[in-house]
Amino acid sequence: AFSGRSLHATKEAGEPVHAGDPGGRSVWYKWIPSISGQAVVDTFGSSFDTTLAVFNGTDVTALTEVASSDDFNNFVYHGRVLFNTTAGETYYIAIDGYTGTTVASGSVALHYHVTSTAPTNDAFAAATVLTGSQGTIVGSSFAANKESGEPPHGGDTGGQSVWYTWTAPANGHVNFYTIGLLYDTLLSVYTGESVGALTPVSGADSDDLTNLDDEDGVTFDRAL
């Protein structure tokens, strides 16, 4: 993590637009990751409405965009990007303020992390076991992959799935949610013994709880 500020910053001649907004008070960071893998960079915790962009290149007038983000969702006005990194390659990170009545600026919070190892429950056959009639579990999908024959989840192709398995302890009404995750999730529930021959559970296939969030929830009846 790194902290700084963009008060009284300016934009250079020839500098590109960041996340589709002209901005005007950009600050720059240079990052050379020591390992290859999947990186996450965000501006969560900044004191203003940020735009975020990551570039390759050696001249501000001739940069190649790697990833960019304006708002994480309709409630969080900070950016978050995921991209694949190469060890030893130089990445330039630009943080600017969103252009409203004035160009936003203030205290900057920058977080960056790269992961090269897939999570243990990346594969269907290695699904994490859930137990009991209720609970909460935390994990990671960084560096996860999608298996051959794996179906789309929540009506979307996705690409970085992790798996959990649960045996119902009793008959009843079941709710699963991904509330609280810091990315736009997909959520599906299935029965079956192999990833290429799964049966969706009725009413258990979700892309967003509402049009205003990135979290998902499913509700269904389950019998032993």
Side-chain angles (χ1 to χ4, degrees), residues 72-121:
F72 176 65
N73 59 29
N74 289 331
F75 302 102
V76 180
Y77 301 125
H78 300 139
R80 184 176 190 269
V81 294
L82 299 174
F83 57 97
N84 293 324
T85 63
T86 300
E89 186 168 343
T90 301
Y91 298 89
Y92 290 93
I93 302 167
I95 299 174
D96 206 339
Y98 183 77
T99 306
T101 305
T102 60
V103 180
S105 63
S107 298
V108 171
L110 174 64
H111 307 95
Y112 54 97
H113 177 73
V114 61
T115 301
S116 60
T117 304
T120 56
N121 60 338

Side-chain angles (χ1 to χ4, degrees), residues 164-175:
Y164 299 87
T165 180
W166 179 68
T167 301
N171 297 341
H173 205 53
V174 182
N175 298 291

